[in-house]
Amino acid sequence: MTQRITVLGATGSIGVSTLQVLALHPERYTVYALTAHSRVEVLAAQCEQFRPQRAVVGTADAALVLQRLLRQKGLMIQVDYGTAALCEVASAAECDTVMAAIVGAAGLAPTLAAAHAGKKVLLANKEALVMSGQLFMDAVSKNGAMLLPIDSEHNAIFQCLPSTITQQTQQVRNQGVAKIVLTASGGPFLKRAVETLEFVTPEEAVAHPNWSMGRKISVDSATMMNKGLEVIEAHYLFDVAVGQIDVLIHPQSVIHSMVSYVDGSVIAQLGQPDMRTPIAHALAFPDRIQSGVAPLDLAQIAQLNFELPDFERFPCLKLAYQALQAGGTAPAILNAANEVAVEAFLNREIGFRVIDQLIARVMDKLPATSMSNLDSLLMQDKAARDLARTCLSS
Ligand code: NAD
Ligand code: MG
């Protein structure tokens, strides 16, 4: 039996890497649905190659364009648009596995829908989990969904944990785990003089030294908010306390993360900095399949370096730890303010250093609440975005 896959965010960096892995294994996987926000030409070409039953785009106009392109190619594919349609293809009975690779809060509703429908959820969209935290984890466990991390660090940790844990619940308490060590490249500004950071351009910020990724996560890597979001992600995925999660700068991005045990053992996962490895791991779990990634040549790399992160250089990392410590909706507020700030930076409305200042201001002014349900969460998300935009305009 083939696994039937929905790829949410098929036209993005993770989406394209996912389709590259799927294309290597047509006997194992078929594509049920592909979604994209606005890049309809790319989506039409993907539909031609993978022949999904359904395609979803962001707007009615985009849907009309896609329908025309598909007709020209002689393809009969149901085309829909909007959030409700995303949730439908993420929870449909005809699909087994959902790759959640939409960027930002826009991915929350469909990813949550996949969890509610008990799917195998491959989670790249870390913002969805950062926002909804325990609500999301509860939806996974109550509905018998299976959650497999795609983020390279979390996929590494998953591989370094005892398999008895990872196949059933993901609780690591009382299993001899002392610490989870998330590695971080440090991004493009690791060595740049701190006083010059206010002048960096979006082009410099998205030029990551090791990974090729979408623009938003690339800026998050430059501020290290990405690592901050990953600390929060690790807390929920693996049920570890904030004090058990360390960040270690490792500029070569060869060790993707480590688990340190009470007996002194440290287990690490290594590989090329290429997302096709964690994608192939999660798609095939518990089997292993080819990913198309070249083998790791350690003799050629020769050296692996490590250093502690500098919170003065990377205040966003500290803000994320603070949000996790505060709990409730604080991570959602952090995430919302960050999304607004990064978009404004990419649009050249604010400087690079205003990103962390804006997030700190919003967190300071908007008190976090407890997270009782999705509605209260979405209200806080909106309040944080509104406040961030008001701060920006004044
Ligand atoms: P990207 O910008 O390259 O792609 C984003 C995808 O989401 C596109 O297909 C786009 O059409 C879709 N999208 C954007 N806005 C949308 C909206 N409002 N509604 C519906 N769809 C929308 O991003 P990416 O780099 O592929 O990252 C995707 C997710 O994976 C992010 O959450 C990111 O943090 C995470 N992630 C990415 C990498 C990486 O190497 N790129 C690594 C780890 C985690
Ligand atoms: Mg990562």
Side-chain angles (χ1 to χ4, degrees), residues 7-85:
V7 183
L8 302 171
T11 53
S13 166
I14 293 288
V16 167
S17 293
T18 302
L19 293 178
Q20 285 171 357
V21 177
L22 295 180
L24 297 176
H25 305 281
E27 73 299 345
R28 287 185 77 113
Y29 306 107
T30 56
V31 175
Y32 167 66
L34 295 175
T35 87
H37 194 53
S38 55
R39 295 172 64 204
V40 279
E41 270 96 19
V42 179
L43 185 62
Q46 292 178 335
C47 286
E48 188 169 22
Q49 185 181 354
F50 291 94
R51 308 290 166 121
Q53 291 177 40
R54 301 185 59 172
V56 180
V57 288
T59 61
D61 286 346
L64 285 175
V65 178
L66 182 64
Q67 271 161 345
R68 183 168 46 75
L69 291 172
L70 295 177
R71 249 197 327 270
Q72 285 166 4
K73 295 175 191 289
L75 297 171
M76 297 283 291
I77 294 171
Q78 183 183 336
V79 174
D80 296 285
Y81 66 91
T83 306

Side-chain angles (χ1 to χ4, degrees), residues 130-133 236 323-332 368-371 377 380:
V130 166
M131 290 173 75
S132 58
Y236 287 115
L324 180 54
Q325 245 138 10
T329 55
T369 59
S370 68
M371 195 161 36
L377 168 64
Q380 282 266 292

Side-chain angles (χ1 to χ4, degrees), residues 199-206 215 219 340-352 354-355 392:
F199 306 115
V200 302
T201 63
E203 290 72 24
E204 290 173 294
V206 301
R215 282 160 66 80
V219 175
V340 172
V342 171
E343 195 182 339
F345 169 70
L346 284 170
N347 292 336
R348 294 175 214 280
E349 290 157 24
I350 59 172
F352 185 73
V354 182
I355 297 175
L392 280 182

Side-chain angles (χ1 to χ4, degrees), residues 164-358:
T164 47
I165 296 172
T166 53
Q167 284 178 33
Q168 291 149 23
T169 77
Q170 291 176 342
Q171 300 226 337
V172 301
R173 295 230 172 103
N174 307 321
Q175 298 283 332
V177 172
K179 288 243 161 150
I180 279 185
V181 183
L182 293 173
T183 52
S185 69
F189 305 138
L190 181 60
K191 296 294 172 202
R192 181 155 176 151
V194 175
E195 61 281 7
T196 67
L197 283 178
E198 60 182 302
F199 306 115
V200 302
T201 63
E203 290 72 24
E204 290 173 294
V206 301
H208 196 280
N210 307 338
W211 297 92
S212 155
M213 309 181 286
R215 282 160 66 80
K216 191 263 178 181
I217 184 175
S218 296
V219 175
D220 285 348
S221 298
T223 60
M224 280 194 79
M225 178 57 92
N226 182 50
K227 209 52 52 181
L229 298 176
E230 290 181 357
V231 168
I232 300 170
E233 184 184 9
H235 165 75
Y236 287 115
L237 273 178
F238 305 116
D239 192 25
V240 277
V242 54
Q244 277 180 293
I245 310 169
D246 285 352
V247 171
L248 183 65
I249 302 226
H250 163 46
Q252 290 88 358
S253 301
V254 168
I255 295 184
H256 296 308
S257 277
M258 309 179 237
V259 176
S260 143
Y261 289 87
V262 289
D263 61 4
S265 300
V266 178
I267 302 188
Q269 187 261 357
L270 287 71
Q272 300 270 18
D274 188 320
M275 291 306 293
R276 289 174 299 172
T277 295
I279 290 166
H281 171 267
L283 274 170
F285 181 81
D287 296 343
R288 296 268 178 181
I289 55 170
Q290 294 278 351
S291 64
V293 175
L296 183 65
D297 183 348
L298 280 175
Q300 215 234 319
I301 293 162
Q303 226 181 12
L304 301 179
N305 299 88
F306 306 94
E307 62 185 88
L308 288 175
D310 172 0
F311 285 110
E312 306 265 303
R313 176 181 290 274
F314 298 114
C316 284
L317 181 56
K318 193 167 166 182
L319 290 169
Y321 268 109
Q322 284 167 354
L324 180 54
Q325 245 138 10
T329 55
I333 294 170
L334 170 98
N335 177 68
N338 182 56
E339 286 191 26
V340 172
V342 171
E343 195 182 339
F345 169 70
L346 284 170
N347 292 336
R348 294 175 214 280
E349 290 157 24
I350 59 172
F352 185 73
R353 285 319 292 263
V354 182
I355 297 175
D356 63 81
Q357 291 163 12
L358 181 68

